[in-house]
């Protein structure tokens, strides 16, 4: 089973920065796409950023210009650099990977809390 382990979350003040890491148990190139989602209380989980095996990226409009998704294949790790954080960024952030084949496999990390204070 694929394991995704997030780290780097925590409490940060308005305008601050955090870098989230997602360490995968196997090569990130074995996935069609990896990315980050987030979920605030009483809200639906939403896409934050994704990166395909070919390097194409996609961002939610709310984070464009502030967040950057990147990868380090040698470490089987995907990162989310979050700058100029706002209180509305407060949520549990989940690492996600998608593998396409005979069957579709969708994997999730355990989630990590990001809290942005005023």
């Amino acid at each position: 089973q694929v394991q995704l382990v997030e780290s780097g979350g925590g409490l940060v003040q308005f305008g601050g920065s955090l870098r989230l890491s997602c360490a995968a148990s196997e090569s990130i190139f074995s996935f069609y796409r990896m990315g980050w989602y987030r979920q605030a209380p009483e809200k639906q989980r939403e896409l934050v950023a994704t990166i395909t095996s070919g390097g194409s990226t996609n961002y939610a409009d709310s984070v464009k210009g502030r967040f950057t998704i990147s990868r380090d294949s040698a470490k089987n790790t995907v990162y989310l650099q979050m700058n100029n954080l706002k209180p509305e960024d407060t949520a549990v952030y989940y690492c996600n990977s998608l593998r396409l084949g005979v069957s579709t496999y969708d994997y999730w990390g355990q989630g990590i809390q990001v809290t942005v204070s005023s």
Side-chain angles (χ1 to χ4, degrees):
Q1 183 178 75
V2 172
Q3 290 183 293
L4 304 173
V5 180
E6 301 102 332
S7 61
L11 176 65
V12 65
Q13 65 182 5
F14 174 78
S17 297
L18 286 173
R19 189 179 74 162
L20 303 183
S21 298
C22 174
S25 59
E26 60 186 81
S27 173
I28 60 177
F29 294 112
S30 69
F31 306 106
Y32 165 71
R33 189 183 73 184
M34 297 192 70
W36 293 91
Y37 290 71
R38 67 186 181 187
Q39 186 170 17
E42 306 296 330
K43 300 292 185 180
Q44 193 73 24
R45 182 163 45 191
E46 64 176 348
L47 171 72
V48 177
T50 61
I51 184 167
T52 68
S53 60
S56 298
T57 58
N58 185 47
Y59 297 92
D61 288 341
S62 60
V63 307
K64 285 181 179 178
R66 299 188 298 122
F67 291 10
T68 303
I69 189 169
S70 62
R71 63 191 179 190
D72 185 340
S73 59
K75 297 181 178 180
N76 291 346
T77 299
V78 173
Y79 302 98
L80 184 68
Q81 179 66 46
M82 305 184 293
N83 297 326
N84 192 25
L85 283 161
K86 305 174 181 179
E88 51 262 45
D89 295 318
T90 295
V92 175
Y93 284 69
Y94 296 90
C95 183
N96 169 259
S97 65
L98 179 66
R99 177 177 289 154
L100 303 179
V102 176
S103 299
T104 299
Y105 297 92
D106 200 13
Y107 302 99
W108 296 92
Q110 77 282 2
I112 189 165
Q113 180 71 43
V114 171
T115 302
V116 185
S117 62
S118 300

